[in-house]
mmCIF file of all heavy atoms in Angstrom:
data_model
loop_
_atom_site.group_PDB
_atom_site.id
_atom_site.type_symbol
_atom_site.label_atom_id
_atom_site.label_comp_id
_atom_site.label_asym_id
_atom_site.label_seq_id
_atom_site.Cartn_x
_atom_site.Cartn_y
_atom_site.Cartn_z
ATOM 1 N N PRO A 302 2.363 22.160 31.316
ATOM 2 C CA PRO A 302 1.638 22.283 32.500
ATOM 3 C C PRO A 302 0.778 20.913 32.833
ATOM 4 O O PRO A 302 0.682 20.595 33.982
ATOM 5 C CB PRO A 302 0.731 23.441 32.359
ATOM 6 C CG PRO A 302 1.532 24.332 31.360
ATOM 7 C CD PRO A 302 2.276 23.361 30.440
ATOM 8 N N VAL A 303 0.259 20.239 31.781
ATOM 9 C CA VAL A 303 -0.601 19.094 31.963
ATOM 10 C C VAL A 303 0.179 17.933 32.626
ATOM 11 O O VAL A 303 -0.397 17.147 33.208
ATOM 12 C CB VAL A 303 -1.194 18.749 30.539
ATOM 13 C CG1 VAL A 303 -0.055 18.112 29.728
ATOM 14 C CG2 VAL A 303 -2.364 17.699 30.587
ATOM 15 N N LYS A 304 1.451 18.061 32.596
ATOM 16 C CA LYS A 304 2.272 17.017 33.265
ATOM 17 C C LYS A 304 2.556 17.108 34.710
ATOM 18 O O LYS A 304 2.986 16.311 35.452
ATOM 19 C CB LYS A 304 3.719 16.837 32.595
ATOM 20 C CG LYS A 304 3.597 16.691 30.996
ATOM 21 C CD LYS A 304 3.087 15.338 30.591
ATOM 22 C CE LYS A 304 2.930 15.261 29.097
ATOM 23 N NZ LYS A 304 2.491 13.932 28.670
ATOM 24 N N ARG A 305 2.240 18.372 35.231
ATOM 25 C CA ARG A 305 2.289 18.700 36.698
ATOM 26 C C ARG A 305 3.665 18.370 37.175
ATOM 27 O O ARG A 305 3.823 17.725 38.243
ATOM 28 C CB ARG A 305 1.230 18.051 37.529
ATOM 29 C CG ARG A 305 -0.115 18.920 37.371
ATOM 30 C CD ARG A 305 -1.159 18.019 38.061
ATOM 31 N NE ARG A 305 -1.130 18.123 39.543
ATOM 32 C CZ ARG A 305 -1.949 18.816 40.371
ATOM 33 N NH1 ARG A 305 -2.924 19.460 39.736
ATOM 34 N NH2 ARG A 305 -1.758 18.707 41.571
ATOM 35 N N THR A 306 4.639 18.741 36.481
ATOM 36 C CA THR A 306 6.097 18.174 36.882
ATOM 37 C C THR A 306 6.492 18.720 38.165
ATOM 38 O O THR A 306 7.268 18.108 38.951
ATOM 39 C CB THR A 306 7.052 18.609 35.884
ATOM 40 O OG1 THR A 306 6.384 18.569 34.529
ATOM 41 C CG2 THR A 306 8.229 17.626 35.782
ATOM 42 N N GLU A 307 5.852 19.767 38.640
ATOM 43 C CA GLU A 307 6.090 20.364 40.123
ATOM 44 C C GLU A 307 5.785 19.251 41.109
ATOM 45 O O GLU A 307 6.488 19.123 42.032
ATOM 46 C CB GLU A 307 5.239 21.538 40.365
ATOM 47 C CG GLU A 307 5.568 22.823 39.603
ATOM 48 C CD GLU A 307 5.063 22.856 38.166
ATOM 49 O OE1 GLU A 307 4.366 21.839 37.707
ATOM 50 O OE2 GLU A 307 5.402 23.836 37.385
ATOM 51 N N ASP A 308 4.860 18.381 40.874
ATOM 52 C CA ASP A 308 4.532 17.301 41.767
ATOM 53 C C ASP A 308 5.642 16.305 41.846
ATOM 54 O O ASP A 308 5.892 15.691 42.836
ATOM 55 C CB ASP A 308 3.210 16.614 41.386
ATOM 56 C CG ASP A 308 1.933 17.379 41.753
ATOM 57 O OD1 ASP A 308 2.078 18.559 42.094
ATOM 58 O OD2 ASP A 308 0.932 16.844 41.654
ATOM 59 N N VAL A 309 6.314 16.083 40.710
ATOM 60 C CA VAL A 309 7.487 15.146 40.703
ATOM 61 C C VAL A 309 8.528 15.628 41.549
ATOM 62 O O VAL A 309 9.051 14.848 42.449
ATOM 63 C CB VAL A 309 8.137 15.146 39.259
ATOM 64 C CG1 VAL A 309 9.385 14.212 39.308
ATOM 65 C CG2 VAL A 309 7.069 14.496 38.294
ATOM 66 N N ILE A 310 8.752 16.963 41.616
ATOM 67 C CA ILE A 310 9.730 17.550 42.586
ATOM 68 C C ILE A 310 9.290 17.435 43.994
ATOM 69 O O ILE A 310 10.052 17.059 44.958
ATOM 70 C CB ILE A 310 10.095 18.938 42.163
ATOM 71 C CG1 ILE A 310 10.492 19.015 40.626
ATOM 72 C CG2 ILE A 310 11.268 19.522 43.122
ATOM 73 C CD1 ILE A 310 11.709 18.207 40.253
ATOM 74 N N LYS A 311 8.097 17.717 44.217
ATOM 75 C CA LYS A 311 7.483 17.669 45.662
ATOM 76 C C LYS A 311 7.569 16.171 46.209
ATOM 77 O O LYS A 311 7.927 16.016 47.272
ATOM 78 C CB LYS A 311 6.029 18.187 45.646
ATOM 79 C CG LYS A 311 5.930 19.671 45.384
ATOM 80 C CD LYS A 311 4.525 20.109 45.441
ATOM 81 C CE LYS A 311 4.329 21.421 44.866
ATOM 82 N NZ LYS A 311 2.941 21.779 44.488
ATOM 83 N N VAL A 312 7.162 15.266 45.311
ATOM 84 C CA VAL A 312 7.361 13.881 45.767
ATOM 85 C C VAL A 312 8.741 13.466 45.949
ATOM 86 O O VAL A 312 9.133 12.893 47.130
ATOM 87 C CB VAL A 312 6.692 12.918 44.599
ATOM 88 C CG1 VAL A 312 7.073 11.444 44.892
ATOM 89 C CG2 VAL A 312 5.158 13.094 44.591
#
Side-chain angles (χ1 to χ4, degrees):
V303 71
K304 307 289 175 182
R305 281 173 73 107
T306 325
E307 289 77 5
D308 284 11
V309 172
I310 308 300
K311 289 179 194 161
V312 166

